[in-house]
Every structure is written in structure tokens, then in C-alpha cells.
Amino acid sequence: MLRAGMKFEGRDLMSEKVDLYNNSYGNPGADVHREIRTETYGQDFGQTSWTTSEELHEIPQVLALSSASNVLEIGSGAGGCALHVARALKCRVVGLDVNAEGVRQANQRAKELRLDVLVRFEQADACQRMPFDDNSFDAAYSNDAVCHLANRAGVLAELHRVLKPGGRLLFGDALVVTGLVTNEELATRSSIGYYVFAAPGQNEKLIAEAGMELLSATDTTTSAAAISKRWHDARAARSASLIPIEGEANFAGLQKFLQCVHTLSTEKRLSRILYLARK
Ligand SMILES: C[S@@+](CC[C@H](N)C(=O)[O-])C[C@H]1O[C@@H](n2cnc3c(N)ncnc32)[C@H](O)[C@@H]1O
């Protein structure tokens, strides 16, 4: 069996597992993390995704939201995007994430911002049946979390079930394989967790099979290329502060991961596509 650390002719056969989310969600207020996010995204929403600030600001319009909307976010992380949407529109948002620390931080931030009447975050595995009634939400979105979910057909069927007729779904998938990728690159690109890579056209097919109409599929690979470079460089400039927090091996592993995202997206061998669909 292949294990992390095994070598063949001096090469890693499998990348070591690297922690991104616990590190980010566990120290959200640390100055060094705030500085890195600001340098990476231009604005700090506590993000850990390839969603640019511009894309994030466009979510209400793309999803046709109003103050009456009830919105679902899948993989809400530390909650920054959901809180931004709720604050901007005064609408209701529910965020689901499997990461307990992310959910805790997100609910705490909702309280601090006095948005807890509108927004709540629940710890749940989005691969399972979602804890909501049929036709509950006007819209749903996911910033780069769908690639972490097993059984994508089942997840899309669940999203179809909980969306109201006409409800919109927006999600980004940065793991569409559009070129040649080596086993080492796949291992490094997957080193922060469970990932599912998709063939071109696969998401379109699954959206249709779930009973939804695809409104657009936009190539945003350049966002992943730019964000991964800025994130890598902002971290490199602060290695002296980061290594005591996350450890030398994890620091190096995350840098290797970000460099890999940058190379694969710059060379368009992995693409990030943003899908907008309607029930
Ligand atoms: C790329 S991050 C995006 C976080 C946040 N949306 C953002 O924009 O910064 C992906 C998120 O998906 C979450 N996730 C991974 N697997 C999941 C699962 N099975 N169910 C729910 N959330 C999951 C991770 O914990 C992480 O917070």
C-alpha cells in the first residue's frame, strides 16, 4: 500500500498530508493571517478559496438575491462570505461545513457582528442528506468546496431537493482536468484533504442529471493562478512568523501545494470553472 513519505528513485510516491483548514480557522484573528489574506485577496473575509473579492461581491447579483432570500452556503469555512452576503442584503443565510473550528469561529463572528438573527452555521457533512426540508432555499452557493465532496451526483440531487423551483445554484470547481497532470502533481494538489478531480463536461452532465438547467459555465482559472501566487508569496515573506505556528513541515507542505496550484492553473492543466444553474 502507498503511504505518505514512501520514495521511489528518490521521488515522493505520495505527498505528506498537509493541514490548511485547521490552521486557518484555528487562528483567524492572528495578525499574520489577516495580513496574508489582505495581500492575497485585497480584502480579508477569512477566505481559504480561489474566489476573488470581485467574484464574492457579485454573488448577490448572480444569485438574484433580495432581503427576502433564504440562502444556503456549502463549505462555509470561517463564514466570511455568508456574513458578507447577509450584511449586504439583510437576508437569511445558513452555512454548512464539516470543520468544527470553522463553524465555531463563524458562529462567534456572527454574534460579534449582531448578525446571528440572520445567519447560522452548522457542522455537517454535505455528502449526507442535508438537514433541511424540500424547497427551503431561494439560492445556494459553494466557494470551492464541491471538489471535496464524495458522491457529487447525490450532493447535486440534495441541492435540487432543498432549492425552491427557480432557485439558483453557483459553485466553483478548480479541479477540472484540462491537460496532462502527473501522479506527483495530483498527490501534491490533493495533499490538504479529500479531493475529486473532474473530466471536462462532467459537472455539466451531473447538473443536468440532477434536474437543473445550466445557465453558464465561466472559466476562472486565471483567478486560481493569481490567488495561489499571491498567497504563496505573502506566506513566504512571513515564514518567520508562520513556522512557529504551523511547524516547518506543514509550512513547506502548504508552500508546495500553493506552488503546485499556481503551476497547474497557469499552464491550464487544471481549470477552475464557475457553474451557475437553476432548478
Ligand atoms: C476551499 S474551502 C472554502 C471555504 C470558504 N467557502 C471560503 O471561501 O473560504 C473548502 C471548505 O469545504 C469544507 N468541507 C470539506 N469537506 C466537506 C464536507 N464533506 N462537508 C462540508 N464541508 C466540507 C472545508 O472544511 C472547507 O472549509
Side-chain angles (χ1 to χ4, degrees):
M1 202 178 120
L2 214 58
R3 280 194 209 89
M6 280 185 172
K7 302 227 182 227
F8 176 69
E9 292 177 350
R11 288 178 296 139
D12 273 345
L13 288 180
M14 214 181 135
S15 277
E16 299 281 349
K17 283 293 166 209
V18 176
D19 179 61
L20 169 63
Y21 300 131
N22 286 312
N23 255 312
S24 305
Y25 304 152
N27 305 287
D31 284 347
V32 64
H33 286 131
R34 285 187 198 283
E35 286 168 19
I36 290 168
R37 288 192 297 263
T38 305
E39 218 164 287
T40 302
Y41 300 99
Q43 247 181 311
D44 176 16
F45 286 103
Q47 315 91 310
T48 55
S49 72
W50 316 114
T51 307
T52 60
S53 298
E54 292 75 26
E55 190 183 309
L56 194 146
H57 283 290
E58 284 169 8
I59 286 175
Q61 184 214 329
V62 172
L63 291 177
L65 302 181
S66 71
S67 58
S69 300
N70 190 22
V71 185
L72 173 63
E73 177 173 356
I74 300 295
S76 43
C81 184
L83 291 166
H84 167 72
V85 169
R87 183 144 68 165
L89 295 176
K90 305 279 173 286
C91 66
R92 286 171 295 152
V93 187
V94 180
L96 287 192
D97 202 290
V98 77
N99 187 292
E101 191 53 26
V103 170
R104 198 184 67 74
Q105 292 291 345
N107 277 318
Q108 188 179 312
R109 191 82 188 113
K111 261 199 190 124
E112 286 163 9
L113 295 171
R114 295 172 192 270
L115 285 170
D116 49 330
V117 283
L118 290 174
V119 191
R120 72 173 199 278
F121 297 94
E122 293 183 18
Q123 188 187 5
D125 179 354
C127 304
Q128 306 294 321
R129 184 179 166 85
M130 296 181 192
F132 310 113
D133 293 337
D134 297 358
N135 306 318
S136 313
F137 294 98
D138 299 281
Y141 68 92
S142 181
N143 295 331
D144 299 306
V146 168
C147 60
H148 290 302
L149 307 179
N151 184 19
R152 194 168 306 183
V155 171
L156 289 169
E158 267 299 275
L159 286 166
H160 180 271
R161 180 182 70 76
V162 301
L163 277 172
K164 294 178 186 171
R168 290 185 173 203
L169 168 66
L170 179 72
F171 71 92
D173 182 2
L175 294 183
V176 180
V177 183
T178 45
L180 299 175
V181 186
T182 70
N183 63 319
E184 287 182 8
E185 288 168 330
L186 282 177
T188 302
R189 185 63 184 79
S190 319
S191 58
I192 65 161
Y194 177 87
Y195 274 113
V196 181
F197 294 78
Q202 187 66 24
N203 286 309
E204 288 86 336
K205 182 170 167 276
L206 292 174
I207 287 168
E209 285 174 3
M212 286 188 258
E213 176 195 1
L214 183 69
L215 299 179
S216 60
T218 310
D219 189 328
T220 56
T221 310
T222 51
S223 303
I227 287 174
S228 51
K229 168 96 177 88
R230 290 197 297 264
W231 195 347
H232 175 279
D233 293 354
R235 284 172 48 84
R238 292 166 182 80
S239 58
S241 307
L242 288 173
I243 289 170
I245 299 174
E246 59 191 51
E248 212 157 313
N250 204 75
F251 175 81
L254 269 179
Q255 293 304 88
K256 187 176 168 192
F257 165 79
L258 292 168
Q259 181 60 54
C260 179
V261 175
H262 181 64
T263 302
L264 291 173
S265 48
T266 303
E267 296 174 7
K268 302 247 175 182
R269 291 189 281 135
L270 276 188
S271 295
R272 180 179 188 264
I273 312 291
L274 196 57
Y275 300 93
L276 177 65
R278 180 169 53 201
K279 174 172 173 180

